Amino acid sequence: MFSEFHILDGGLGSELLRHAVPVTGDSLWSARALVNNSDVIKQIHKSFLLSGANIILTASYQASIDGFCRYAQCTREKATSLIKKSVLIAKESCEEFIQETQKTLSRDLLVGGSVGPYGACQFDKSEYDGNYVDEMSVEELKRWHRPRIKILVEAGVDFLAIETIPALAEAEAILQVVNEFPSIACWLSFSCKDETHLCHGESFCDAVTSVETYKQVEAVGINCSAPEHVQGLLSSIDGKSTKPVVVYPNNGHEWWNKRFDCNPEYISYVLEWLKFHEVKIVGGCCGVTPADIEDIRNAVAERIV
């Protein structure tokens, strides 16, 4: 699926803020928009497609049945329908983009089902260290992740984007769940705290070589990490990774006035990452805008054949 070059979208949550959708301080963060701003989600998806992305991720990163039930007063049935809705919105965005632009595409448009870490749905910032894995069993992690994965697969995503995973133990627990759905492919991207380690402290290189052994993993990589760390992380797996590499960190700037400040240097980072031949999917996470994706599209035009 990822042997050819692909361009991914950018930061959904930060784009919701740019569209004045009030997600800051909300316990559901970007998943709140599935409840009452789904039209804006579609608008953002289409803006990334217009900018040159051919992969968009569903608005399910912080969506969970427990979260919707607790913070949106949903029944479990309604919560399930909201996660399915994230897939429907993404698929409709692709269909409408093709109809409205009448473009002849050089790549298929793909919808990835976003599977964020357990910590991202606990609303306590624990995804930034992943220390919860020290207190949870593999079975507990599997039990928590299974419902969302099942919903996304049954809703018809093209693949699962298992992303921002801070600890190897959680990655392996999720992949054991994915194994229960043998028809679905996935990528797995880690969040890292420096040039060699996951946020929880494991070696990035060791984590990559471990998850690559799972048959359904078709790409591995890095996301929602500082862009200045990516070069070192890529160097640590250069010549060692057997799968295509996906790279989509945040834009490297801090929150300012309830939004990510622009980072005009983002494209210069991207150009360095592209020197690694294993890198096949590039985009962005928090703070990366449609304009950034357009810069990437222009920079790699010769690779899109």
Side-chain angles (χ1 to χ4, degrees):
M1 180 179 292
F2 303 121
S3 59
E4 296 180 322
F5 193 83
H6 297 274
I7 300 176
L8 178 61
D9 59 11
L12 175 63
S14 48
E15 283 303 295
L16 286 168
L17 286 171
R18 293 184 198 279
H19 285 73
V21 176
V23 297
T24 301
D26 192 311
S27 295
L28 291 175
W29 182 233
S30 59
R32 175 68 68 180
L34 288 169
V35 180
N36 49 23
N37 287 103
S38 59
D39 56 331
V40 182
I41 296 175
K42 182 182 287 188
Q43 183 179 347
I44 293 169
H45 283 332
K46 289 164 73 172
S47 71
F48 282 120
L49 292 170
L50 282 166
S51 297
N54 75 290
I55 300 177
I56 57 173
L57 303 185
T58 59
S60 54
Y61 174 77
Q62 281 178 302
S64 69
I65 291 178
D66 292 345
F68 282 133
C69 290
R70 182 174 181 181
Y71 297 108
Q73 294 72 53
C74 290
T75 63
R76 293 186 70 83
E77 291 75 16
K78 176 63 175 177
T80 296
S81 71
L82 287 170
I83 297 174
K84 288 182 178 178
K85 185 179 181 180
S86 72
V87 180
L88 178 63
I89 294 168
K91 286 187 166 187
E92 288 180 347
S93 299
C94 292
E95 292 167 1
E96 292 178 13
F97 167 75
I98 293 171
Q99 291 171 359
E100 292 167 5
T101 61
Q102 297 184 336
K103 284 190 174 183
T104 300
L105 301 176
S106 57
R107 291 282 187 276
D108 289 337
L109 301 182
L110 300 175
V111 171
S114 175
V115 178
Y118 171 86
C121 294
Q122 304 313 302
F123 322 116
D124 59 2
K125 299 183 179 181
S126 58
E127 72 269 31
Y128 295 115
D129 55 43
N131 289 341
Y132 50 84
V133 302
D134 299 327
E135 301 174 357
M136 297 179 71
S137 69
V138 170
E139 289 305 315
E140 286 175 320
L141 286 165
K142 289 169 65 176
R143 188 162 52 247
W144 189 87
H145 279 288
R146 186 176 288 110
R148 177 173 53 178
I149 289 173
K150 182 176 186 291
I151 294 165
L152 291 171
V153 171
E154 291 180 349
V157 294
D158 295 307
F159 68 96
L160 295 172
I162 303 164
E163 54 180 351
T164 325
I165 305 302
L168 179 57
E170 183 168 22
E172 294 183 328
I174 295 172
L175 291 174
Q176 289 177 34
V177 174
V178 173
N179 190 54
E180 299 170 14
F181 305 90
S183 65
I184 196 72
C186 69
W187 77 43
L188 195 144
S189 55
F190 292 101
S191 58
C192 300
K193 63 182 179 180
D194 56 33
E195 294 188 356
T196 53
H197 299 95
L198 309 189
C199 288
H200 186 251
E202 299 91 334
S203 159
F204 174 68
C205 182
D206 290 347
V208 166
T209 56
S210 177
V211 301
E212 282 188 339
T213 63
Y214 288 82
K215 182 179 179 181
Q216 288 158 269
V217 175
E218 295 201 6
V220 294
I222 311 140
N223 83 291
C224 210
S225 305
E228 58 265 30
H229 295 157
V230 172
Q231 190 80 359
L233 290 162
L234 291 175
S235 294
S236 75
I237 62 170
D238 192 27
K240 300 173 184 176
S241 174
T242 62
K243 301 286 180 75
V245 173
V246 54
V247 181
Y248 56 116
N250 59 50
N251 80 341
H253 277 203
E254 299 296 326
W255 286 100
W256 176 78
N257 194 25
K258 297 185 178 180
R259 65 176 175 83
F260 263 102
D261 197 9
C262 179
N263 183 358
E265 298 176 356
Y266 190 76
I267 187 61
S268 64
Y269 284 115
V270 174
L271 295 175
E272 291 301 310
W273 309 332
L274 293 174
K275 294 177 182 178
F276 292 87
H277 296 298
E278 298 91 346
V279 173
K280 296 292 186 181
I281 309 131
V282 176
C285 201
C286 302
V288 175
T289 68
D292 293 319
I293 299 304
E294 185 173 7
D295 285 343
I296 295 172
R297 175 64 175 81
N298 292 337
V300 301
E302 73 283 356
R303 299 191 183 202
I304 309 297
V305 296

